[in-house]
Amino acid sequence: MKQNIDPKLDLVLERHAAVSPALVWKAWTNSKHLSQWFAPKPWTISKCEIDLRPGGKLEFVMRSPDGQLYPNLGCYLEIVPNERLVWTDALLPGYRPSAEPFFTAVLDLAPDGKGGTNYTAIAIHRDEDGRKKHEAMGFHEGWGQVYEQMIEFIATNKL
Amino acid sequence: MKQNIDPKLDLVLERHAAVSPALVWKAWTNSKHLSQWFAPKPWTISKCEIDLRPGGKLEFVMRSPDGQLYPNLGCYLEIVPNERLVWTDALLPGYRPSAEPFFTAVLDLAPDGKGGTNYTAIAIHRDEDGRKKHEAMGFHEGWGQVYEQMIEFIATNKL
């Protein structure tokens, strides 16, 4: 479904990529690729598991420069190849409600008609506090930085 | 995805219906039908809205015999016609994490090879307390009763 955005509750990152939706999709949906670019450097991804189907697992562990580990576990909700990827931490794999729901993420990819991609990432929160907390954690900086890392990863690795 | 069941956390209702998966599907996915049988009598459904797509709304209001209203709001997650229906109250329509997540429901329908349906309803909870609470609320009695009401509704209305 087309995502309705509520500016009080949601955060949005929009970019225009010179690479195709298919390449962006590949970078996002293969754990070997995702783990290479999804943490804003000098952070790294120390574990990444993807079971790409509705209700399937998305798990990753972010590692800070001093070695602290930040685990994330959720599940995929919608998978429309090269177009739309939705996942949430409000549900664990198999759709079990989670103990600490924070947000649902939507990645929308649209061809720009010239071989590139109109790229939109949306973070959907339960309430205004959730949105503000995520904003203060650096949503725009972090998601903006990993977007750049993804573009570089695609170029360097000739996906 | 095939649902893994954890007996500590999940509740399961299994029945064999003499009617086809297609008729059960029809009774479950049309708001005019669902509102006729989904509340255990003498309770009723005073409002029912269905937007049958992933992320789409499922809203219904249960009305007790003395007129108390109990609203429910969630969204659909998986829709495989005549086979599998998944929805949750952990996410509001559009996948927004909800303030009071309680459970995810899975309805699995399988043809029995003789025109009937092997019917499985699963309630998936966050923790053991959630499962126990739902059990004490009368999950087996309630879902069992509305199953019988559904069968009667299908027969009476020649769906």
Side-chain angles (χ1 to χ4, degrees):
Chain A
M1 71 192 302
K2 174 72 184 165
Q3 204 62 39
N4 290 321
I5 290 168
D6 180 334
K8 282 190 186 162
L9 304 178
D10 305 331
L11 294 169
V12 180
L13 182 97
E14 286 179 298
R15 292 290 186 273
H16 173 261
V19 297
S20 69
L23 288 180
V24 175
W25 183 262
K26 215 168 160 182
W28 264 99
T29 57
N30 178 310
S31 61
K32 284 180 191 166
H33 299 338
L34 189 66
S35 59
Q36 295 302 307
W37 64 264
F38 193 48
K41 291 175 188 171
W43 288 55
T44 54
I45 302 279
S46 62
K47 179 182 182 180
C48 185
E49 284 186 29
I50 286 178
D51 178 9
L52 195 65
R53 51 182 176 159
K57 182 200 275 192
L58 171 60
E59 181 176 17
F60 57 90
V61 177
M62 294 254 186
R63 188 179 182 283
S64 72
D66 64 353
Q68 295 287 312
L69 301 179
Y70 296 82
N72 291 268
L73 180 62
C75 82
Y76 289 103
L77 298 171
E78 264 190 73
I79 296 155
V80 185
N82 307 337
E83 279 183 33
R84 181 171 163 86
L85 189 65
V86 184
W87 69 100
T88 190
D89 62 16
L91 297 171
L92 303 179
Y95 300 124
R96 186 176 307 288
S98 71
E100 296 184 37
F102 183 40
F103 76 114
T104 296
V106 173
L107 179 71
D108 264 323
L109 307 175
D112 69 355
K114 293 174 286 181
T117 302
N118 293 317
Y119 177 104
T120 309
I122 310 167
I124 301 167
H125 307 90
R126 188 176 62 191
D127 51 29
E128 225 168 315
D129 277 357
R131 190 265 297 160
K132 285 180 183 167
K133 187 180 165 197
H134 207 172
E135 206 160 22
M137 284 165 64
F139 169 84
H140 286 103
E141 300 79 357
W143 285 64
Q145 184 179 336
V146 299
Y147 167 83
E148 297 297 338
Q149 291 176 187
M150 177 193 72
I151 295 297
E152 194 190 329
F153 175 81
I154 290 172
T156 311
N157 293 275
K158 299 187 175 66
L159 276 198
Chain B
M1 71 191 304
K2 174 73 184 165
Q3 204 63 39
N4 290 321
I5 291 168
D6 181 335
K8 283 191 185 163
L9 304 178
D10 304 332
L11 294 169
V12 181
L13 183 95
E14 285 179 299
R15 290 292 186 272
H16 175 260
V19 297
S20 69
L23 288 180
V24 174
W25 184 262
K26 215 168 160 181
W28 264 99
T29 56
N30 178 310
S31 61
K32 284 181 190 165
H33 299 337
L34 189 66
S35 60
Q36 295 301 307
W37 63 265
F38 193 49
K41 292 175 187 171
W43 288 55
T44 54
I45 302 278
S46 62
K47 179 182 183 179
C48 186
E49 284 185 28
I50 286 177
D51 178 8
L52 195 66
R53 52 182 175 157
K57 181 200 275 192
L58 171 60
E59 182 176 18
F60 58 91
V61 177
M62 295 255 185
R63 188 180 182 281
S64 74
D66 64 353
Q68 295 287 313
L69 301 179
Y70 296 83
N72 292 267
L73 180 61
C75 82
Y76 289 103
L77 298 172
E78 263 190 74
I79 296 154
V80 185
N82 308 336
E83 280 183 32
R84 181 172 163 87
L85 189 64
V86 184
W87 70 101
T88 190
D89 63 15
L91 297 171
L92 303 179
Y95 300 123
R96 185 176 307 288
S98 71
E100 296 184 36
F102 183 41
F103 76 115
T104 296
V106 172
L107 180 70
D108 265 322
L109 307 175
D112 68 356
K114 293 174 286 181
T117 301
N118 292 318
Y119 177 104
T120 309
I122 310 167
I124 300 167
H125 307 90
R126 188 177 60 192
D127 50 29
E128 224 168 316
D129 278 356
R131 190 265 298 161
K132 285 180 183 168
K133 186 181 167 197
H134 206 173
E135 206 160 22
M137 284 165 64
F139 168 83
H140 287 103
E141 301 80 356
W143 284 65
Q145 184 179 335
V146 301
Y147 168 83
E148 297 298 338
Q149 292 175 186
M150 177 193 73
I151 295 297
E152 195 191 329
F153 175 81
I154 290 172
T156 310
N157 292 274
K158 300 187 176 66
L159 276 198

